[in-house]
Amino acid sequence: MSLRGATICGVGSYLPETVLTNADWERMVDTTDEWIIRHTGINERRLAADDQASSDLAIKAAQRALDDAGISPEQIGLIMLTTVTPDYFFPATACLVQDAIGAKNAGAMDMSSGCTGFIYAMAAGANFVRSGDYDYVLLISAEVLTRIADWTDRSTCVLFGDGAGAAVMGPCGRDEGLLSFALSSHGEYGDLLILPGGGSRLRLTSELIAQGQDCLAMQGPEIFKLAVRGIPRIAHEALDKAGLRPADVSAVIMHQANRRILDAAADRLDIDPKKVINTVSKYGNTSAASVPMCLDDTYRKGQLSPGDIVLFVGFGAGFTLGAAVVRWTLPPFTSA
Ligand code: ACO
């Protein structure tokens, strides 16, 4: 039994300035605003500038989370960055961020768990804090998904957006902060959501690039079914471990892939749909970044108070699932 708990003590996010609307997509592929809204609930998403990579977004989100936590970069012991769109295979994007923000005492590593990345990092980061190995762990999720999307494939390109979110985890009392988590992986479904080329399996050639093997490929309806079936299971597992019921939950911060998945999850979890936060309408699917971006949006609207039970849920490439239950400790956000 650890002597202390681990909590989120600062949150931040960064959104690229350019807004890409459904009307913009109507001009580029054979789609309509009406189809996109009816099938996904997405109205608009952000597009990174040509000179912005994931680390550029991550740096800004991290600085905002550090400001919010009121700690200096030197106090960070470890940076865990989750992304499916790193700047490079190596060095790790986390190392680029570590240098840029001046976290000179921190170790740094990237993790890849698809859209579930932030939940995996929260679970691991909390254990580093609870064990006493580090006082502060910086969690960052950053994505420039528009750079691996096939801009000619209407079934995927309209879904994705760019952005970054970050949170600082630090020590707290044993009965608050992260109370429980549940993680699972289903590698047999790995090919349903995949970036086939560019790794050690398939070296990219101009021929393979012409075939679109350098772009994300997704079998959307199959992922949809796995998500809707898996979310209640993983959420119940985490809630049971914390000794809580769905009725105890104040807010659900879930991976923002599709409004219909958010609605189905609320229904199957028997949680008031108003508690399931929706930011997919304005940011689209930002993969690993969607959970901390949604958290920051909710927090900065002053919608979270100490004692609230926040249920985090993620699902995505792998196929991975994750849920975490947090007794919130930060006071409602007010701008200075
Ligand atoms: N505009 C117009 N028509 C379209 C578009 C579009 N943008 N995209 C597809 N269609 C058409 C299809 O061609 C198809 O036409 P057909 O019936 O004539 O063949 C029809 O619309 C229905 O297509 P479906 O793929 O069955 O549409 P569905 O309602 O399933 O919605 C979607 C597709 C939005 C992708 C949905 O399946 C989904 O959200 N899946 C989950 C995605 C997800 O959660 N991903 C996980 C995380 S992402 C990550 O990890 C990076």
Side-chain angles (χ1 to χ4, degrees), residues 29-32 35-36 39-40 84 114-115 145 154-156 158-160 193 216 218-224 227 255 257-258 260-261 285 287 315-317 319:
V29 290
D30 179 17
T31 192
T32 60
W35 189 96
I36 300 172
H39 287 253
T40 71
V84 297
C115 306
L145 284 178
R154 68 175 183 173
S155 68
T156 52
V158 300
L159 307 175
F160 299 111
L193 180 48
L216 169 159
M218 178 170 75
Q219 296 181 38
E222 283 72 22
I223 293 281
F224 192 102
H255 171 46
N258 185 312
R260 286 156 53 209
I261 297 179
N285 180 344
S287 191
F315 58 92
F319 180 77

Side-chain angles (χ1 to χ4, degrees), residues 10-27:
V11 191
S13 66
Y14 171 74
L15 299 167
E17 278 171 29
T18 302
V19 175
L20 201 55
T21 64
N22 292 346
D24 293 327
W25 277 116
E26 283 179 344
R27 286 187 283 277

Side-chain angles (χ1 to χ4, degrees), residues 15-25 27-28 42-49 146 151 160-162 281-284:
L15 299 167
E17 278 171 29
T18 302
V19 175
L20 201 55
T21 64
N22 292 346
D24 293 327
W25 277 116
R27 286 187 283 277
M28 290 186 274
I42 299 169
N43 292 294
E44 59 186 45
R45 67 291 286 150
R46 299 299 177 103
L47 175 67
T146 57
W151 283 53
F160 299 111
D162 304 331
S281 59
K282 51 187 181 178
Y283 305 143

Side-chain angles (χ1 to χ4, degrees), residues 274-290:
K274 287 201 279 298
K275 292 182 179 175
V276 181
I277 312 295
N278 175 346
T279 51
V280 74
S281 59
K282 51 187 181 178
Y283 305 143
N285 180 344
T286 58
S287 191
S290 89

Side-chain angles (χ1 to χ4, degrees), residues 239 246-247 249 252 265-267 269-276 311:
L239 284 167
V249 172
V252 181
D267 189 44
L269 282 166
D270 202 16
I271 287 180
D272 180 351
K274 287 201 279 298
K275 292 182 179 175
V276 181
L311 172 65

Side-chain angles (χ1 to χ4, degrees), residues 90-328:
F90 58 88
T93 305
C95 296
L96 308 177
V97 176
Q98 176 263 328
D99 175 50
I101 65 174
K104 60 184 184 192
N105 300 313
M109 63 169 152
D110 283 2
M111 291 170 66
S112 175
S113 313
C115 306
T116 320
F118 190 78
I119 313 281
Y120 270 69
M122 265 176 85
N127 277 333
F128 278 115
V129 173
R130 281 200 286 236
S131 66
D133 285 328
Y134 297 115
D135 283 337
Y136 295 105
V137 174
L138 176 59
L139 314 176
I140 314 169
S141 300
E143 302 282 14
V144 184
L145 284 178
T146 57
R147 214 148 284 156
I148 59 163
D150 178 347
W151 283 53
T152 63
D153 174 10
R154 68 175 183 173
S155 68
T156 52
C157 64
V158 300
L159 307 175
F160 299 111
D162 304 331
V168 178
M169 292 209 89
C172 67
R174 266 191 355 208
D175 300 331
E176 51 187 9
L178 189 129
L179 303 178
S180 65
F181 63 84
L183 306 174
S184 77
S185 168
H186 310 272
E188 67 273 28
Y189 299 118
D191 58 350
L192 295 182
L193 180 48
I194 188 167
L195 181 61
S200 57
R201 176 73 57 193
L202 199 59
R203 185 173 184 163
L204 282 174
T205 60
S206 48
E207 199 184 347
L208 291 178
I209 291 172
Q211 292 169 12
Q213 303 274 359
D214 58 333
C215 293
L216 169 159
M218 178 170 75
Q219 296 181 38
E222 283 72 22
I223 293 281
F224 192 102
K225 281 180 232 151
L226 285 177
V228 168
R229 268 189 249 127
I231 291 164
R233 183 178 58 71
I234 204 79
H236 278 297
E237 192 181 327
L239 284 167
D240 286 350
K241 281 185 184 171
L244 294 169
R245 295 162 301 131
D248 299 317
V249 172
S250 316
V252 181
I253 307 282
M254 191 156 74
H255 171 46
Q256 305 284 311
N258 185 312
R259 197 209 62 238
R260 286 156 53 209
I261 297 179
L262 297 176
D263 292 345
D267 189 44
R268 293 184 179 211
L269 282 166
D270 202 16
I271 287 180
D272 180 351
K274 287 201 279 298
K275 292 182 179 175
V276 181
I277 312 295
N278 175 346
T279 51
V280 74
S281 59
K282 51 187 181 178
Y283 305 143
N285 180 344
T286 58
S287 191
S290 89
V291 166
M293 285 168 64
C294 179
L295 172 64
D296 193 46
D297 199 87
T298 310
Y299 167 62
R300 281 177 199 265
K301 284 183 182 148
Q303 291 173 353
L304 297 177
S305 301
D308 283 354
I309 297 296
V310 185
L311 172 65
F312 291 85
V313 186
F315 58 92
F319 180 77
T320 52
L321 284 162
V325 179
V326 169
R327 193 185 304 280
W328 193 254

